[in-house]
């Protein structure tokens, strides 16, 4: 094992006592003449690429894209009734699940957790459930059944450290399941009139708060504490489907022809773009040309990366964010990208000293450790 410099150990120990790689944000565009995936900057939400994954004959209405540690992309397509796998080169590899072979009808969202895929399904042979697959499409099982929570239609799936949140577009609630798929409780009970109606994407902030995109009036972005108590609501100029926190503290949202940035302090929203005939869907963070050292995936390497970096060094093999990790689950999945500060394709003790040196001379936002 490498022997650390005394300064490096002292520096990290100081921040361990305190309270506690970036990539791009992908948004499918299912509008007429598009059916492709766009990329936006994870720090400020600006457009990076309007054809990051090019449309092809497979894509009909992709709702969400996720990426695994090997670099492959998985996307769920509501109209094609399918789950597709694309390679690191962003080209189609195979159809992992579909209506004919797996009984899927209107699959809506997808999540990657512990090297397995989870897909919410509205109809077909297993209606109103979340189906679980191995990464090669085999081993299909029913993970969660919204009938256990009353009649409901599952939308987004959000894994947390000890449970799973699943939005319900019929009851307008957000339900809580165990990591084994058992129904635990209605995490947030909405009347759909004064509260959220038709919850779409769910996003976990680093402090445990949850952001949710409410698609139907009163449409907008909702914020809840970790127990489901509503803390804030921000109205928007159109119905949002996607929501994601940016590195600068603002909130990126997507819906219809628009992608916008919400300032949660002032409550004002500014369009990043408003593209005729577009139809923007869910937002996910994936590794691209990652920022080495950006351990909380906020688009900047600075002191806020110390605690999450230390957590990764102490438990790099954990499939879920360990205690002390202050970034999102999505960011934890990118740890082999942002944590390899030494450039040896590994996340280990040899990354500590170069990380410390980088923090002492923090680069500007958007620039990684040398």
């Amino acid at each position: 094992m490498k022997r650390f410099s005394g300064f490096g150990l002292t520096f990290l120990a100081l921040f361990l006592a305190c309270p506690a790689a970036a990539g791009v944000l992908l948004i499918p565009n299912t509008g007429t003449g598009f059916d492709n995936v766009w990329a936006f900057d994870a720090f400020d939400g600006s457009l990076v690429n309007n054809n990051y994954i090019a449309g092809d004959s497979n894509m009909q209405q992709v709702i969400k894209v996720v990426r695994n540690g090997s670099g492959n992309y998985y996307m769920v397509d509501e109209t094609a009734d399918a789950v597709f796998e694309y390679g690191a080169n962003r080209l189609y590899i195979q159809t992992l699940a579909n209506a004919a072979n797996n009984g899927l009808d209107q699959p809506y969202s997808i999540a990657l957790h512990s090297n397995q895929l989870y897909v919410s399904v509205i109809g077909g042979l297993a209606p109103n459930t979340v189906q679980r697959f191995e990464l090669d499409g085999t081993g299909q099982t029913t993970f969660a059944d919204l009938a256990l929570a009353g009649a409901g239609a599952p939308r987004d799936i959000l894994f947390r450290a000890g449970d799973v949140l699943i939005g319900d577009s019929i009851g307008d609630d957000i339900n809580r399941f165990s990591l084994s798929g058992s129904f635990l409780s209605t995490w947030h009970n909405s009347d759909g009139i004064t509260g959220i109606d038709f919850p779409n994407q769910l996003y976990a902030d680093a402090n445990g708060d949850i952001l949710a995109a409410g698609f139907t009036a009163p449409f907008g972005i909702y914020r809840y504490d970790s127990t489901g108590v509503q803390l804030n609501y921000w109205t928007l100029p159109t119905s949002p489907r996607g929501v994601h926190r940016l590195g600068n503290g603002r909130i990126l949202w997507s819906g219809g022809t628009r992608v916008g940035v919400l300032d949660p302090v002032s409550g004002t929203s500014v369009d990043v773009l408003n593209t005729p005939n577009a139809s923007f869907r869910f937002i996910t963070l994936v590794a691209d040309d990652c920022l080495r050292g950006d351990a909380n995936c906020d688009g900047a390497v600075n002191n806020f990366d110390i605690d999450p970096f230390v957590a990764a060094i102490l438990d790099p093999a954990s499939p879920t964010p360990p205690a002390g990790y202050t970034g999102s689950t999505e960011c934890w999945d990118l740890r082999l990208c942002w944590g390899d500060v030494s450039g040896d394709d590994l996340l280990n003790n040899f990354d500590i000293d170069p990380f410390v040196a980088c923090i002492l001379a923090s680069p500007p936002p958007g620039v990684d450790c040398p």
Side-chain angles (χ1 to χ4, degrees):
M1 179 178 292
K2 182 183 179 184
R3 299 180 68 86
F4 314 138
S5 70
F7 178 77
L9 283 171
T10 302
F11 184 77
L12 287 174
L14 282 172
F15 283 92
L16 276 170
C18 297
V24 292
L25 298 172
L26 298 189
I27 309 179
N29 180 357
T30 63
T32 303
F34 294 102
D35 280 321
N36 63 352
V37 180
W38 295 33
F40 295 80
D41 186 84
F43 184 77
D44 63 12
S46 57
L47 178 64
V48 172
N49 189 328
N50 66 359
N51 199 29
Y52 189 84
I53 302 178
D56 58 21
S57 60
N58 300 295
M59 298 185 202
Q60 297 180 40
Q61 188 161 291
V62 174
I63 304 297
K64 187 176 181 181
V65 181
V66 295
R67 194 180 191 191
N68 71 0
S70 67
N72 287 358
Y73 300 87
Y74 303 93
M75 55 182 72
V76 61
D77 192 306
E78 181 183 22
T79 300
D81 297 326
V83 177
F84 302 127
E85 180 180 11
Y86 282 65
N89 60 359
R90 307 173 200 163
L91 297 178
Y92 172 81
I93 295 178
Q94 62 178 325
T95 298
L96 293 176
N98 58 20
N101 297 322
N102 306 93
L104 302 187
D105 183 16
Q106 201 181 346
Y108 198 78
S109 188
I110 188 169
L112 182 62
H113 179 73
S114 295
N115 291 318
Q116 291 179 310
L117 291 171
Y118 295 78
V119 180
S120 60
V121 181
I122 306 301
L125 296 181
N128 300 323
T129 64
V130 172
Q131 296 293 299
R132 179 171 53 199
F133 300 86
E134 300 302 322
L135 295 184
D136 61 1
T138 62
Q140 179 180 2
T141 58
T142 295
F143 169 72
D145 187 346
L146 262 69
L148 299 176
R155 297 294 171 173
D156 201 19
I157 309 160
L158 178 64
F159 279 87
R160 302 194 295 178
D163 59 18
V164 188
L165 300 181
I166 302 174
D168 170 13
S169 62
I170 291 180
D172 300 319
D173 301 326
I174 301 173
N175 295 306
R176 179 171 168 259
F177 288 77
S178 72
L179 293 176
S180 62
S182 300
F183 174 70
L184 297 177
S185 65
T186 299
W187 183 79
H188 180 78
N189 191 345
S190 174
D191 60 9
I193 299 173
T194 59
I196 195 169
D197 193 356
F198 205 123
N200 261 233
Q201 188 169 18
L202 307 175
Y203 173 81
D205 263 332
N207 68 352
D209 289 350
I210 302 298
L211 300 176
F215 183 70
T216 307
F219 55 78
I221 302 300
Y222 292 77
R223 183 167 72 97
Y224 307 98
D225 71 10
S226 61
T227 67
V229 175
Q230 183 174 321
L231 302 176
N232 295 92
Y233 162 71
W234 299 280
T235 187
L236 293 175
T238 193
S239 298
R241 291 188 177 103
V243 61
H244 201 288
R245 180 75 67 173
L246 292 170
N248 61 11
R250 298 185 177 184
I251 298 169
L252 188 70
W253 60 269
S254 57
T257 61
R258 287 172 145 143
V259 174
V261 173
L262 169 70
D263 182 342
V265 177
S266 67
T268 58
S269 180
V270 177
D271 284 346
V272 174
L273 49 81
N274 188 350
T275 304
N277 299 318
S279 184
F280 291 105
R281 302 292 176 157
F282 286 9
I283 308 169
T284 48
L285 176 70
V286 302
D288 186 46
D289 296 324
C290 88
L291 295 186
R292 291 185 302 275
D294 183 17
N296 63 359
C297 299
D298 66 356
V301 181
N302 52 33
N303 289 347
F304 293 104
D305 294 302
I306 295 174
D307 280 356
F309 178 83
V310 171
I313 289 294
L314 293 176
D315 195 5
S318 175
T320 56
Y325 183 73
T326 56
S328 66
T329 300
E330 289 175 312
C331 187
W332 177 251
D333 290 339
L334 306 179
R335 62 194 178 280
L336 295 182
C337 182
W338 51 252
D340 179 26
V341 187
S342 67
D344 62 359
D345 294 324
L346 297 171
L347 173 57
N348 56 27
N349 292 337
F350 291 94
D351 295 301
I352 294 177
D353 281 353
F355 175 76
V356 170
C358 183
I359 291 295
L360 289 175
S362 294
V367 178
D368 60 359
C369 294

